[in-house]
Structures are given as C-alpha cells and as structure tokens.
Amino acid sequence: MRYLPLTPEDRRQMLARVGVSSIDDLFEDVPAAARLDGLVDLPLHQGELAVERELGALAARNVAAGSVPSFLGAGAYRHHVPATVDHLIQRSEFLTAYTPYQPEVSQGTLQMLFEFQTQVALITGMEVANASMYDGATACAEAALMACRLTRREKVVLSGGLHPHYRDVTKTSVKFGSVHLDIAEPDPDGAEDLAARIDGETACVIVQNPSFFGRLKDLRALADACHAAGALLVVVVTEVVSLGLVASPGEMGADIVVAEGQSLGVPLGFGGPYVGLFACRQKHVRQMPGRLCGETVDQDGRRGYVLTLSTREQHIRREKATSNICTNAGLCALAFSIHMTLLGEAGLTELASLNHRTAVALADRLARVPGVEVMADAFFNEFTLRLAKPAAQVVETLAGKGILAGVPVSRLYANRPALENLLLVAATECNTEADGDRLASALEEALR
Amino acid sequence: MLNEGRQTRGTGTAAEGPDTWTGARALDQDTPLIFEQDSPGACGVDLPDGPDVANRLGGLERKGAIGLPGLAEPEVMRHYVRLSRQNYAIDIGVYPLGSCTMKHNPRLNEKVARMPGFSDIHPLQPESTVQGALELMDRLGHWLKTLTGMPAVALSPAAGAHGELCGLMAIRAAHEARGDARKVVLVPESAHGTNPATAAMCGYAVKSIPADETGRVDLAALEAMVDEDVAAIMLTNPNTCGLFERDIIRVAEAVHGVGAYFYCDGANFNAIVGRVRPGDLGIDAMHINLHKTFSTPHGGGGPGSGPVVFSDALAPFAPIPYVIERKDGDGFHLVEHVPDSEVQPFGRMKGFHGQMGMFTRALAYMMSHGSDGLRQVAEDAVLNANYVRASLADVMSQAFDGPCMHEALFDDSFLKGTGVSTLDIAKAMIDEGFHPMTMYFPLVVHGALLIEPTETESKDGLDRFIGAMRHIVERAKSGDAEHFAGAPYYAPRRRLDETLAARKPILRFEPAMQDAAE
Amino acid sequence: MADIRYTEDHEWISVEGKVGTIGITDYAQNQLGDVVYVELPEVGREVAKGDETAVVESVKAASEIYAPVGGKVTAVNQALEENYGLVNEDAAGAGWFMKLELSDPAELDGLMDEAAYAEFVKSLG
C-alpha cells in the first residue's frame, strides 16, 4: 500500500514498545457490538493506473466547457487562468500546509493573506477585508448576520436581483434565529424599489451588482436611503472581473461587500471549491467573521505577519463567536491573489474591458436573431435574453448540438412561468467571435 | 472566567550570525509585499483589445485608479516561490498537529481533479452533459455511507464547521417538524470551539458536560443532564483527548431516551475508519472532514469539505442539493429545489453543489486504499500515536492513563518548575525541523500538547521525532529556560509580537506606510 | 477612603458615595496576559448584578466582565482605547473599566473584602 510506510516488521516492533500483543488491544475501548471484524463492503485497494483509468472514464462522460462554445455564467464564470497560477498553488509549501497557527514557519501563507486582504479591499473600494470565506453565497449570509449584530436590528431586505442561491443560503442561516428576511420578487427588468422597503427595523439591504440578471445599477441613492434609516448597504458581486471597469461598491456607499472570487484563478470545477471575499469598513472589523491576518514585528524587529483579532473566532469565543467558520478557502485565495498579481492595475482593467466588449458584441449579434430580445441596457459581461420559447428546452436542444448556450433562469427559479423564457448568457475573454456566430445561428434554428 | 493567558511576545537575544547586505541568508530570502514591487507599466498578462464597440456600462465606469501594483511574470513567479519557502508543510516533515490529521496528500488526487472533465465543467450545465460528475458524487456518497454505516449523506457542506451546522440544522428541523421546541444542546468541555459556536448559530443554548477522570464524558453527569429540553448532544469520537468514548452506546441510549439526537463530530474519523462504523454506535448525524481523513490538501487553511451522514430519522431533513439515480436506468439527477414529497430538506448550505474538487480527490484516495487499505490506515494511525506516547511517557506527562487512539495527549506537569512552557517547547520543535503539535487544546488539560502523527509517518521518521522530543524535554528540565524563551532561532521569523498586532491592527498595506519608510 | 470589594470573577469595585469604579484585579490581568482590547458598555446603560457588561480580551483569551452590583453606567475609561496596556500596567488604578451609579448598595455586602479575596486567590493555587 503505497501511502503507508510501516512494514509488518515495523508494526511488530512498535506493538512491542507499546506493550500490547496485537493492534486489536488498542481498540479495546470500542464496544464489542460495534467492532467490525471483517472489511466493509467496498472494493479493495488499487494502483494509481487503475484509479486514474476508472475516474478518467467518469470525467470523459462530462462535456468540458472549454471543449465547446460555452456561455454559462450565473455566479460561475469561465476565464483563462494563467499557467503560473496552477503551478504555484501546487508548490508543496502552499498546498500541504495547515492554517498558519505557527507564524514563524508560516510567513509564506501569512504574507500572501495580507496581500490578498489588501487586493480585496482595493478592488471592492473598502477599508479592510478578511482572509476569505467558503464562497460568495456563504459570505452573503454572514454579511446579513454581521449587519444585524452591528445595527442590533433584525430585518434584512434582499433584492430580487440577488442570485437565488445566495438568497437561499441566507434564508438557511437565519432559519432558526430571530432575524427575518424581506425578499423582493425576481427582478429581470431592474424595476424594483428597494428604498421603499427600508424602515426603522431594517438592519441592511442586500443587493447584487451586476444583478443576477446581468444589470448594472447605480447604488448611490440606495446607499443614502439605507444610511438615512440607520441601515447598512451590503453589496454582492458574483463576477469580480467587473470591478476592473465598474465603479466599486465602496465608491457607491456600500458598508459591507461580499463577492465570489472564482473568476480569478479558480476553475469552474462544477461549482467548488470557490472563494468568498468579504470586505467592510475599518470601524466594523470586530464584528467581521472569519480569519484576519495582520502585520507586526518579530523579536528581532523584522516585519512579519500573524493571524490576529482571533478573539472574534470560535476557537476562543466558542458559543459567543461571530461565526463558526474555521477552515476557509486558503488555497483558492492564493490562486485568486496570484492571478490578481499577474494582472495588476493594467491587466485587470484590460481584462474587464475585453470581457465587456465581447459581451456587447455578442448582445448585438444575438439581438438580430428572430425570437430573441436582449433585455439589458447596462451590463458588464452577462445579460438576459427573452426567448420565444422556454429557455430550458432551447438549452437542451443546443447542448445536443455541442453548444452550452447559457443558464435558463428556470434552473434557479422553479415553477415561475413568467421567467420560463429567460436565458442568462455570459461572455468572457474565452469566447471568440466564431462562438457567438455559432450560438446565434443555432438559436435561430431552435426558435424557428 | 479566565482562560489561559500566555505570553505572546518573544524574549531573549538575537540569533548569532553575520549580517548580509541584502538581509538574505543564502536560500532564505524575504520578498517585499507585491505593493512594494510595483513597476508601473509592467504586467504579467498579454490580452487583445477585443471588439471595437461602444461601452454599455450605463455611465458606471470607474473613474480613479484601483491601486494594484504592476509586475511582470518572472517577478510574480519569484515572489510566490520565495514566499512558499517560508512555510512548513507536510511534504517537508512531520506535522503532528493534533486534531488536524496532517497526512500525506497524494498527487494522484491532484491529477484526477485537474482532468478537464472535472475541473472545467460549469455547475449549471445541462444534466445530460455532466452525468460523469453526478455519478462521481453518487459514488463518493456510497463510500461514505458504507464506511459509516449510515443510510443518507449530504455532500454540500464546505468544511467541518459547515458540516456541523448542516447536522444541527437537520436536527432542529426534525424537532420542529413534530412541534418540539427544545432549547439546549449538550457539548463536552473538551469539544472543538466550532461545536458550541455552531449550536449557538442554530439558536440553541449550550450546556457543558464535564469529563470524568479518564478524559471521557462523565456518563452519570450526562444522564442527570438529559431531559425533554435537550435537542441534541454533540460529541467528538474519538474525543479531543485522543480517547474512544467507551460509553458511547449508553450515551446514545440516554440521548435517544429523551427524544434528542446524537451529533458526532467526525474530525477524528481517521482513527476508526474501516474498523468501526458510527452507524453502529447510535449516531444520528456526523460530518466527515475530507481534508483530514481522506487526504485532500489543507492548502494553508482550506478549502475543506465536510459531508454529513445521517440516520433514517434525520435523512428526510437533509439539505438540497442531492444526487439521485433515476429508476429507469436513465442516469443521475440533481435535486436542486425542495420537492413536493415526503422529504423536507431544511434548505441550502452553499452556492451550487458542494466542493466537487475535494470530492474527486477524496474518491481517488479512497479507491487507492480500498476497504483493506482504509482499515490499515486506522490501525497504523493508532499504532503510530501509541508508539509516540509510549516512547515519551517516561519523560513527559501523559494526561490520561492507558492507550490512546490516533493522538497522544500530554499535559505540562512535566515542565513544572523548569520555567519552560508548552509554547516554548513548541517553538523549540521548530528549530529541530518539526512543526509543533497542537498546543493548549483541549482546554480541559493544563498546557495541553496534543500529538497526532498520522499513519503516513514511517517508524524511522517517528524515531527521529521521538529522539528530538526527548532531547528538547531533557534540555528544558536541565534549567535552560533562557534558551527556550528565545526559540525559534532558525525559522524565517523569530517569535512575532501578537500583542502589537492585536492592539493596533494593521490589516492591509497602505501606500502611506511605504512613503513613511522611504 | 474608598471601600474596595472583590468578586470571584476577579473584578474589583471601589465605592465612593453612590458611585462604584470597576476593573479587574492584578491577578486577573496576569492570568489573561497582554490585554489588547476592552469592549466597554454604553454610558447610560442600566445593568443588574451579574449582567455581562464588558469583555476584556488578550491575544488568546476573551473574558466577560459581569456587573458586581446593579446600577447605571455613568462613565467608561476612554484612556483604554489609546492604550489597553494600562490594564496590565495598573489594573487596580489607571486600568479601570467603568463607573456605575449603584442602584442598591446593599448588594456590596455579598462581595469579598481585600483579605478574603487574597485568601480566595491563594486557594486557587
């Protein structure tokens, strides 16, 4: 067994040192009724080749997004990941280290986290950011709870442009508490009036920009309305590349910004692992969930980094912690940070611009297809189409022709006839003009 | 009221050695923050301009600069390679962090996870295009259910603590479904901090169960505490003292006797995998840290994955999404919405379907070991821990008598009068080339030192570790406290001032910091 | 001279007239280690004996501070915000946390005097 170094002779000598005659003696605390004498009913061990072959066969039964024209978004985006990123995150010292509890031998992870926190704060336009959450959806739920702690209020308003998974995870997190949610109807037209929902009990309004339906909005008036009522504005971003081109949530008055960081450095991977970004104002930092890295000096006066403000966390505060989170998304945060470092100011701006231009060109191309209405006026790299037929059916038809056409809104909103014909289409730097032409002509055929 | 305060700043003198002009020590090289390496105009990517179209941002374009630095690819590569060399890692040496199961991370797992058929599929692709992925999830679920002897599994929780939340939510949903508004969750004093934090997130009050003199749950005390107000018990087994809860079946009976549920924290499943099925112990829900027992890499703090197995009583309340196999041989289906049926999922835990990248890695590991290898994993993990325990028991102070499971727990009474603390011992281990053990946890033991070698250490490797530990302990007892107060001497940094970091938090780079330094 | 009383949670209260000044004892600061933060209550808040009124944090520990007696918070120690180290340097003096206007001075009777507290600390070993 290739992962087990002990030999039978080692085991014999070691049992002798321990002073027992067999390994069973070390399991004697297990109640007799629960001891397994034989093996569980699963296959026996296999060599590397056999495992690779079997799992390779499973992988081959999936259509890789990169092998066909693909226009899926809705909170997960296919971007090109520079080769440097995947090489670096597989360095043993990053890949096989634990959470940096011993800072003297974890400066690599810690300095990286300090840089990551700074990058996240900069792109979101906020003052501080934490060392990551599981994903955007769980970060959104944590933001709702944090806003309630900060304002000592218990009503949370959710925009109808919020990703349905983010809404549902937030719902789950308040399910057994006293916080209640005021959830707006799905808002493909960008017509909702969230300010009208704010009252003296409102802890925060949670709004996504660009929205789930791809719409960009100026949030400044909403921020003012929140602040006038003593509430906070939480802004969700599911496509962080947009921050290279669009005014930051901080600039628009957000108090807390949460985002899905997958777009940079992290592959689609069927939905995970991803990386949640969480940023806020400095004055609120003690109510922020998750790990934080801070700068300090060592005893020789050299600059170094440590995990800090840990008294907010479960291992010290136990039932009074700000969150139960422990393990977060360290390696995905590293991938995000390396990709962001490769991009830098110029690269992020160019990448965002390229995404936007590609999407605009695609929207214009699709608008010429009979039976297709492009619903968006202002958008980044994703927009909603209203089709002449149910979108799920069209997507299935196009999948049969080797085109991943987008995400039917009905996939996330079940049993909503009014949304049945809506299709979310995203374009990134990975999409070519030829991809767009194929999609347009296939749509034309399917809608005929 | 008081927890254990301990020194968080170093004392002692600087390491000997000549200064260098760069500050480097040969291979040991610092790298400035990326923000201090900004070369305006430099960039690590080349991108085309894209179609020439008018923007459609609705006037929302960003006006000012973001403030990100520019670096070309070679500089980026060097920066992160230099950073990586300042980390200890399981691939470098023994990493006996108790309760964390730092075992070897096979690279086959990484290779499989990077197959485009797994890494490059979108979570919302039509089901017809991801049948292999759904089958993989189903197969992983089958392995987990078989190994634990439990009938149902929820794969989506993102880490251990997230799995705990999943389990407790299902428990609360089950109580509420029958109109039962219980208020209390029982948690042993020795529990992971995530347990009480999770119970609180589910709206429960936490009551602490005392330990008996053997380091296990005090059954009599527990039996006196359970009543109709108790919703659940959360118990780690083997527990955080590295001991199997002998009375676990009676604990389950006591809990079930009042209509409460038994949540097991499965962080330490590595000790019993293939030898004991938690389903045979009366457990109703248990999370499994794929990043502990099933070797997915810790990555410097995640990502993890914490699937939860459920008993029949709780299975109907498991969260969405979940995979089912269609009856007519028509492949696999992902249930993403609460269905109209006898099941009552409590909701959704995270975006999309779970930590797929960890599922592929964990399944590759399980298939490599097989049912025979996994049983051997538990046996070797327990043997290695007992070998370390038996080899150090005469010079250190074992917290509880008798054999342990997968980790050996010592208290600090062997250091009494030496002026050396648990923390000092840990820092001295760094100089010897080891990662320290878990310190000051569990809280029920004074100055705890919790050593979990895992099954992937060789006997020679353990002998070296034991030799080093004996040397360190002897030196501590010989009255050389000053040496210990200065340790570590050879790490990329010496002891860091955590007090300074917490009193005046600096949580990001500010351009002003650089200007002031120039 | 002010009357100083102690609790088993290692808090002291020094009473002059109707106003009690509250802090933690030198023993407590020593156990906690370097204090890095104190969460203080709002001035004007009414607290009952035993209510959680503040939290004192070191790097590795956080401890709730319970009101030794009931009353209304009339002042908090602003100087701590600049230098939490005051709690370590002078726990019984400059490192005080808050002042309370006592609602029922009779509640002081249940607390220890200096000699009893010294005895109590000794018993902790």
Side-chain angles (χ1 to χ4, degrees):
Chain A
M1 236 151 272
R2 61 189 183 277
Y3 304 149
L4 298 177
L6 296 188
T7 64
E9 176 57 20
D10 288 336
R11 293 185 184 115
R12 201 190 53 74
Q13 289 179 20
M14 291 166 75
L15 286 169
R17 166 86 63 91
V18 173
V20 295
S21 56
S22 91
I23 190 73
D24 293 337
D25 295 350
L26 297 175
F27 285 86
E28 65 184 7
D29 284 342
V30 178
R35 288 181 203 159
L36 283 181
D37 293 327
L39 298 178
V40 291
D41 185 17
L42 288 166
L44 298 178
H45 70 275
Q46 297 187 74
E48 193 164 313
L49 178 61
V51 173
E52 204 178 316
R53 203 176 267 155
E54 199 172 328
L55 292 177
L58 279 184
R61 292 178 47 212
N62 302 317
V63 177
S67 66
V68 293
S70 168
F71 301 90
L72 284 86
Y77 300 86
R78 184 165 192 280
H79 289 285
H80 174 74
V81 179
T84 303
V85 174
D86 199 43
H87 169 80
L88 285 170
I89 67 167
Q90 289 192 76
R91 292 273 308 182
S92 286
E93 301 91 331
F94 287 131
L95 185 73
T96 75
Y98 198 73
T99 301
Y101 289 141
Q102 297 288 338
E104 298 87 349
V105 285
S106 310
Q107 285 298 303
T109 294
L110 287 160
Q111 183 173 333
M112 176 281 288
L113 290 175
F114 188 78
E115 293 172 349
F116 169 83
Q117 289 173 185
T118 308
Q119 288 171 326
V120 172
L122 285 170
I123 60 167
T124 55
M126 303 302 287
E127 288 157 7
V128 288
N130 75 10
S132 82
M133 311 295 287
Y134 305 134
D135 68 0
T138 54
C140 176
E142 292 275 11
L145 298 175
M146 175 174 163
C148 293
R149 289 194 297 272
L150 282 168
T151 58
R152 298 198 173 114
R153 296 180 182 180
E154 298 192 318
K155 177 181 152 183
V156 172
V157 177
L158 301 186
S159 158
L162 182 63
H163 192 295
H165 285 178
Y166 290 50
R167 176 203 62 199
D168 289 349
V169 174
T170 306
K171 247 183 184 171
T172 301
S173 73
V174 304
K175 189 177 174 86
F176 299 124
S178 48
V179 174
H180 60 278
L181 304 181
D182 173 12
I183 303 174
E185 283 295 295
D187 185 36
D189 300 311
E192 68 185 2
D193 180 7
L194 292 173
R197 293 172 180 264
I198 302 170
D199 60 28
E201 301 300 308
T202 307
C204 68
V205 174
I206 303 185
V207 61
Q208 179 176 324
N209 206 35
S211 80
F212 173 69
F213 299 97
R215 288 179 179 275
L216 273 174
K217 263 198 167 176
D218 191 339
L219 302 174
R220 276 169 263 239
L222 181 61
D224 290 343
C226 285
H227 298 153
L232 304 179
L233 178 65
V234 177
V235 175
V236 174
V237 180
T238 60
E239 170 52 295
V240 283
V241 174
S242 68
L243 298 173
L245 205 55
V246 178
S248 72
E251 204 179 318
M252 293 198 221
D255 299 285
I256 300 173
V257 180
V258 293
E260 173 52 66
Q262 172 270 329
S263 282
L264 292 184
V266 182
L268 287 172
F270 204 46
Y274 290 173
V275 49
L277 314 184
F278 198 112
C280 69
R281 302 283 172 200
Q282 174 78 41
K283 64 182 176 188
H284 295 151
V285 71
R286 285 181 188 273
Q287 287 299 336
M288 182 151 62
R291 298 246 143 90
L292 278 168
C293 172
E295 183 184 308
T296 186
V297 293
D298 79 354
Q299 69 190 78
D300 294 340
R302 299 171 80 197
R303 182 171 71 177
Y305 303 90
V306 292
L307 292 179
T308 192
L309 304 185
S310 323
T311 42
R312 299 165 300 114
E313 293 186 63
Q314 46 76 25
H315 62 278
I316 291 175
R317 213 50 176 282
R318 299 174 83 83
E319 67 267 30
K320 288 183 175 156
T322 52
S323 164
N324 73 340
I325 192 168
C326 178
T327 289
N328 48 32
L331 202 70
C332 296
L334 174 65
F336 174 97
S337 193
I338 296 169
H339 195 171
M340 185 67 89
T341 303
L342 283 163
L343 288 168
E345 181 91 17
L348 181 63
T349 310
E350 284 166 24
L351 179 65
S353 172
L354 176 56
N355 270 259
H356 182 57
R357 286 159 180 256
T358 306
V360 170
L362 180 68
D364 289 346
R365 177 72 187 84
L366 297 177
R368 300 203 298 271
V369 175
V372 171
E373 180 201 340
V374 178
M375 295 179 72
D377 32 27
F379 59 90
F380 173 63
N381 68 350
E382 185 169 25
F383 47 83
T384 304
L385 302 180
R386 191 191 304 277
L387 306 180
K389 287 185 183 170
Q393 180 192 321
V394 172
V395 164
E396 200 56 54
T397 306
L398 267 62
K401 294 179 176 170
I403 298 171
L404 297 174
V407 178
V409 169
S410 60
R411 173 88 187 250
L412 293 121
Y413 279 108
N415 308 320
R416 294 261 192 175
L419 304 175
E420 225 171 32
N421 288 16
L422 303 189
L423 177 66
L424 277 179
V425 174
T428 72
E429 74 283 2
C430 295
N431 293 101
T432 63
E433 202 181 331
D435 287 351
D437 289 340
R438 276 189 69 185
L439 175 62
S441 45
L443 268 180
E444 194 162 342
E445 201 177 315
L447 293 170
R448 206 174 275 156
Chain B
M1 89 173 209
L2 293 167
N3 282 318
E4 199 151 7
R6 47 185 199 270
Q7 192 188 352
T8 47
R9 294 194 251 204
T11 58
T13 51
E16 295 291 320
D19 286 341
T20 56
W21 184 78
T22 56
R25 292 174 195 173
L27 296 183
D28 174 9
Q29 306 195 17
D30 280 1
T31 176
L33 292 166
I34 51 173
F35 305 95
E36 295 160 341
Q37 299 183 52
D38 183 20
S39 171
C43 185
V45 297
D46 290 308
L47 294 165
D49 289 339
D52 185 14
V53 290
N55 98 49
R56 218 163 298 169
L57 297 170
L60 288 175
E61 46 273 67
R62 176 169 52 78
K63 300 291 191 301
I66 300 170
L68 296 169
L71 286 82
E73 185 180 300
E75 298 303 305
V76 176
M77 182 64 81
R78 250 181 216 161
H79 177 69
Y80 288 101
V81 169
R82 286 179 180 181
L83 279 185
S84 74
R85 295 168 60 98
Q86 303 194 6
N87 271 1
Y88 195 84
I90 183 70
D91 286 350
I92 293 173
V94 184
Y95 212 129
L97 208 47
S99 194
C100 299
T101 314
M102 292 298 285
K103 62 167 71 177
H104 170 63
N105 301 148
R107 291 315 193 275
L108 172 64
N109 304 355
E110 298 302 310
K111 186 177 181 186
V112 167
R114 283 171 171 78
M115 290 176 176
F118 293 133
S119 68
D120 192 23
I121 48 176
H122 191 284
L124 300 175
Q125 277 180 219
E127 282 188 354
S128 58
T129 68
V130 292
Q131 283 298 305
L134 296 178
E135 183 168 348
L136 183 135
M137 289 169 73
D138 187 68
R139 210 180 284 182
L140 176 78
H142 175 72
W143 278 77
L144 296 176
K145 288 185 287 186
T146 307
L147 287 168
T148 56
M150 304 281 277
V153 64
L155 294 177
S156 65
H162 208 219
E164 290 173 27
L165 187 61
C166 176
L168 271 247
M169 287 236 154
I171 286 170
R172 180 138 179 192
H175 282 305
E176 292 199 347
R178 53 169 195 249
D180 200 341
R182 296 173 181 237
K183 297 274 186 313
V184 174
V185 166
L186 303 178
V187 178
E189 286 171 334
S190 61
H192 296 118
T194 50
N195 293 176
T198 300
M201 281 181 89
C202 287
Y204 286 117
V206 175
K207 274 194 194 162
S208 194
I209 316 165
D212 68 12
E213 68 284 356
T214 75
R216 295 168 178 86
V217 161
D218 185 332
L219 184 65
L222 171 76
E223 283 171 342
M225 287 171 85
V226 292
D227 58 28
E228 308 285 313
D229 213 22
V230 172
I233 184 173
M234 296 180 86
L235 193 63
T236 307
N237 189 43
N239 69 21
T240 59
C241 300
L243 304 169
F244 197 92
E245 292 284 354
R246 280 175 207 145
D247 295 324
I248 189 156
I249 291 178
R250 293 178 64 192
V251 168
E253 285 165 1
V255 169
H256 290 152
V258 294
Y261 294 102
F262 188 165
Y263 186 86
C264 182
D265 179 330
N268 295 336
F269 188 49
N270 202 51
I272 57 172
V273 60
R275 283 201 65 116
V276 181
R277 288 181 306 196
D280 296 335
L281 301 170
I283 285 160
D284 292 296
M286 182 180 94
H287 75 262
I288 300 158
N289 304 72
L290 298 186
H291 49 293
K292 294 181 179 175
T293 309
F294 298 114
S295 84
T296 72
H298 279 80
S305 181
V308 178
V309 286
F310 287 109
S311 65
D312 283 319
L314 292 180
F317 304 96
I320 52 167
Y322 52 88
V323 176
I324 55 171
E325 188 171 2
R326 291 192 198 273
K327 287 190 185 86
D328 44 10
D330 202 17
F332 294 87
H333 170 57
L334 187 70
V335 178
E336 294 175 279
H337 299 279
V338 175
D340 291 324
S341 66
E342 70 280 9
V343 298
Q344 311 156 59
F346 69 73
R348 169 178 282 281
M349 298 287 302
K350 75 183 290 295
F352 307 114
H353 328 310
Q355 307 283 65
M356 180 68 177
M358 302 296 117
F359 302 162
T360 47
R361 288 171 174 87
L363 187 59
Y365 173 84
M366 288 180 187
M367 288 168 64
S368 295
H369 267 309
S371 56
D372 50 338
L374 288 172
R375 186 178 169 98
Q376 192 69 53
V377 162
E379 292 178 358
D380 285 0
V382 169
L383 179 57
N384 275 355
N386 276 287
Y387 184 68
V388 169
R389 179 188 57 76
S391 304
L392 294 175
D394 59 328
V395 290
M396 291 170 66
S397 36
Q398 202 179 321
F400 300 103
D401 287 340
C404 59
M405 295 300 285
H406 63 300
E407 53 194 355
L409 177 62
F410 298 91
D411 64 26
D412 64 359
S413 56
F414 70 100
L415 292 171
K416 199 160 191 183
T418 62
V420 175
S421 68
T422 292
L423 182 74
D424 296 334
I425 295 287
K427 299 306 181 191
M429 287 170 70
I430 290 175
D431 280 335
E432 292 286 351
F434 298 105
H435 194 280
M437 69 292 273
T438 290
M439 346 171 266
Y440 300 101
F441 179 84
L443 306 176
V444 292
V445 168
H446 197 270
L449 305 92
L450 185 63
I451 302 176
E452 180 180 9
T454 84
E455 75 283 1
T456 59
E457 293 307 327
S458 69
K459 178 171 176 294
D460 282 351
L462 291 180
D463 285 338
R464 239 172 84 81
F465 173 77
I466 290 160
M469 286 305 296
R470 294 184 70 91
H471 169 78
I472 290 168
V473 170
E474 275 160 30
R475 186 161 188 180
K477 289 178 178 174
S478 73
D480 199 359
E482 200 177 328
H483 168 81
F484 282 88
Y489 295 92
Y490 306 124
R493 285 292 179 279
R494 302 189 63 227
R495 277 190 218 191
L496 289 132
D497 190 339
E498 296 184 52
T499 300
L500 176 69
R503 278 185 181 163
K504 299 279 175 205
I506 301 172
L507 304 174
R508 60 174 281 190
F509 172 80
E510 297 278 0
M513 288 158 53
Q514 190 180 18
D515 296 344
E518 275 169 3
Chain C
M1 187 178 151
D3 181 22
I4 302 178
R5 297 294 177 120
Y6 299 85
T7 73
E8 291 192 357
D9 290 324
H10 306 280
E11 293 135 11
W12 55 262
I13 177 166
S14 160
V15 182
E16 276 179 276
K18 286 197 75 178
V19 174
T21 304
I22 293 166
I24 62 170
T25 65
D26 191 57
Y27 174 85
Q29 71 77 17
N30 206 21
Q31 289 287 305
L32 273 166
D34 290 340
V35 170
V36 296
Y37 185 64
V38 184
E39 192 182 310
L40 294 165
E42 289 157 42
V43 172
R45 195 176 134 196
E46 300 271 358
V47 297
K49 180 182 166 89
D51 280 1
E52 185 187 315
T53 51
V55 182
V56 57
E57 298 183 4
S58 65
V59 173
K60 304 290 181 189
S63 291
E64 282 74 31
I65 301 300
Y66 303 99
V69 296
K72 183 169 151 188
V73 179
T74 58
V76 294
N77 189 356
Q78 305 284 357
L80 291 182
E81 261 173 57
E82 284 307 305
N83 179 13
Y84 294 113
L86 286 174
V87 180
N88 297 111
E89 290 152 23
D90 190 9
W96 63 277
F97 287 7
M98 70 195 100
K99 291 182 191 292
L100 276 189
E101 193 179 294
L102 275 48
S103 49
D104 178 12
E107 285 176 343
L108 290 168
D109 297 345
L111 304 179
M112 291 176 275
D113 63 15
E114 194 167 349
Y117 178 70
E119 214 34 58
F120 172 69
V121 167
K122 220 170 168 187
S123 75
L124 299 175

